[in-house]
Amino acid sequence: MLSVEEATHCVAATIHSLPAEFLALPLAAGRILREDLHADRDFPPFNRVAMDGIAVRFAALATNPSEFRIERTQFAGQEPTPQLDPHAATEIMTGAMLPEGTDTVIRYEDLTFRTDEATGQRFATIQVPPPHAGHNVHRRAADRRQGELLLAAGTYLGAAELAVAATVGATTVAVTRRARVAVVSTGDELVAIAERPLPHQIRRSNALMLQAAAEQAGAITQAFHFNDDVAALQQGLPPLLTDFDAIILSGGVSKGKADFLPEVLREIGVQQIFHEVQQRPGKPFWFGQSPEGTVVFALPGNPVSTFVNFYRYARPWLLGVQQPAVTALSGVGAVSAVLAADISFRPKLTHFLLVRLEHSSSGQLLAYPERAGGSGDLASLLTSNAFLELPPEQELFPAGTVLPAWSFR
């Protein structure tokens, strides 16, 4: 039986980068970029006006320090007209290109205006002189130069990254393909969600839970169900090995007389990498890989066991194959939290303890243990938002102990 650390390394060893695909830029949100994007021109591409006001030649302040004649008005997006009169000004708006013959912008707040009644000519009087030439001007190439790397391959494409890609005209981008995951529930006792279960039956909640969790990790999922029947499993599982990157099964992996999955998986060519991990809940966890490269997470059927194993092993794997920079599972998704109450756990197993994480007034992340009725208590997940990982070397964990926490909400 493997330790949690050993199981983590085994799962991490199967991580490989999924292929790239090209997407229209608006569809690439949340994906991982697989190409470098460079500036196609300077940032900004021209001397950009940073304030609404007037554009003047700074040297002209020495000869007419207070008042400038308004020669014209220029808006953002208009082609600029050179200003030939050094004693005149262009009324100008934020985002406009600075006209040739000017080098400084004085904002409206530092000006007053008057209109000559006889000629209708407008004049601007400076109340607060600019401190230097170039004031309120965003200089060309001040941010980035043409050809400079803006977004490197491996970058997560969030809102800011998409905006930068749009700025350089990247209408389509190469991104990592989303992982394709088959979610498989097994068991004669399971019925569809829409059905009314008999007293001895339950609805297929684990499958929906796994689908939702996998899709939150960026995967595309499809659900399947097989009864506890060897022939049905032998016929239904092989096509999934060629159509999906990963199969996540729930149930049928323990030592019961109807737990056929380990045997069937080996029969159809999936190499067993390990079966059983020194942990609670989720000890019967089975993991393997097919010759085609499809990985199989066969998780115990009790809902909390399924849930914890997914977040501890399967979710980091999904992030790893979709984000090439993630090369190991250890610590991926874990944070450090301070145990808020004494806990004891005697079996020499890694214990995943359901907790509620809260920040103290001083900013410390505290973990409050939550009441749970064992690995079958699905409702206990509603009052928890994480689980602590308690190492097997200890039995007593006093309040104040710092431990890794895996957040799921």
Side-chain angles (χ1 to χ4, degrees):
M1 189 186 308
L2 271 63
S3 68
V4 168
E5 183 179 4
E6 290 169 331
T8 296
H9 288 310
C10 288
V11 174
T14 66
I15 290 178
H16 60 282
S17 179
L18 292 175
E21 62 180 356
F22 286 91
L23 285 183
L25 187 61
L27 302 178
R31 297 295 196 92
I32 303 300
L33 187 65
R34 293 290 291 273
E35 59 179 324
D36 293 338
L37 295 183
H38 298 82
D40 64 335
R41 55 180 183 164
D42 292 334
F43 275 41
F46 51 80
N47 292 330
R48 179 183 175 275
V49 173
M51 290 282 182
D52 297 327
I54 62 171
V56 301
R57 184 176 298 180
F58 185 79
L61 292 170
T63 55
N64 54 329
S66 62
E67 189 172 76
F68 285 80
R69 177 178 60 85
I70 303 300
E71 190 172 88
R72 65 179 59 84
T73 300
Q74 182 184 322
F75 295 91
Q78 288 183 333
E79 186 175 353
T81 301
Q83 186 171 287
L84 302 178
D85 183 355
H87 303 293
T90 298
E91 189 172 9
I92 202 156
M93 308 303 155
T94 302
M97 179 185 289
L98 190 70
E100 185 181 345
T102 67
D103 57 13
T104 301
V105 173
I106 305 169
R107 61 180 188 163
Y108 278 136
E109 293 88 337
D110 299 329
L111 301 166
T112 57
F113 291 86
R114 72 176 180 85
T115 301
D116 186 290
E117 293 183 359
T119 63
Q121 178 66 59
R122 294 175 69 235
F123 294 86
T125 300
I126 301 171
Q127 302 298 323
V128 181
H132 54 76
H135 191 55
N136 291 326
V137 176
H138 192 182
R139 287 290 175 187
R140 176 175 178 171
D143 300 337
R144 299 289 190 275
R145 293 195 174 275
Q146 182 179 4
E148 190 172 339
L149 177 64
L150 298 178
L151 297 172
T155 299
Y156 176 87
L157 293 176
E161 291 76 15
L162 289 176
V164 170
T167 300
V168 301
T171 56
T172 61
V173 287
V175 296
T176 303
R177 173 174 63 73
R178 295 174 67 184
R180 297 189 293 255
V181 176
V183 173
V184 181
S185 58
T186 64
D188 296 345
E189 75 279 15
L190 301 178
V191 298
I193 297 171
E195 291 185 36
R196 181 183 295 276
L198 298 173
H200 60 280
Q201 296 175 321
I202 56 175
R203 296 185 176 95
R204 297 171 194 162
S205 56
N206 275 4
L208 182 60
M209 177 175 70
L210 289 170
Q211 277 192 279
E215 289 180 6
Q216 286 178 339
I220 301 170
T221 68
Q222 187 173 347
F224 303 86
H225 176 77
F226 301 109
N227 286 336
D228 292 323
D229 178 79
V230 172
L233 293 170
Q234 290 172 332
Q235 182 178 1
L237 289 177
L240 306 185
L241 296 173
T242 57
D243 295 340
F244 294 91
D245 303 302
I247 302 174
I248 305 178
L249 299 110
S250 172
V253 293
S254 191
K255 297 185 183 299
K257 291 187 176 180
D259 291 333
F260 304 123
L261 270 177
E263 177 186 351
V264 171
L265 287 168
R266 289 190 293 267
E267 286 180 1
I268 63 175
V270 181
Q271 179 188 358
Q272 176 180 311
I273 297 176
F274 61 79
H275 187 193
E276 296 193 345
V277 181
Q278 295 170 356
Q279 61 186 25
R280 183 181 292 177
K283 178 182 174 183
F285 174 28
W286 191 99
F287 181 73
Q289 188 171 29
S290 74
E292 298 86 357
T294 300
V295 298
V296 178
F297 295 88
L299 311 180
N302 280 331
V304 177
S305 298
T306 302
F307 191 87
V308 165
N309 271 305
F310 176 86
Y311 277 92
R312 183 58 180 83
Y313 301 101
R315 182 178 184 273
W317 186 91
L318 289 172
L319 296 178
V321 297
Q322 294 173 114
Q323 301 179 18
V326 179
T327 56
L329 293 181
S330 182
V332 175
V335 296
S336 294
V338 179
L339 189 60
D342 295 344
I343 287 292
S344 63
F345 184 73
R346 297 195 179 281
K348 291 189 177 299
L349 302 170
T350 297
H351 182 38
F352 298 127
L353 175 70
L354 290 176
V355 295
R356 184 182 76 259
L357 296 181
E358 292 184 4
H359 282 96
S360 68
S361 58
S362 62
Q364 193 176 44
L365 187 61
L366 300 177
Y368 295 88
E370 284 292 314
R371 182 186 66 82
S375 60
D377 185 5
L378 177 60
S380 65
L381 299 175
L382 299 178
T383 56
S384 311
N385 58 14
F387 56 87
L388 285 184
E389 187 168 324
L390 310 183
E393 296 83 14
Q394 289 179 241
E395 291 185 1
L396 301 177
F397 299 87
T401 304
V402 178
L403 295 163
W406 298 79
S407 176
F408 54 78
R409 182 178 294 111

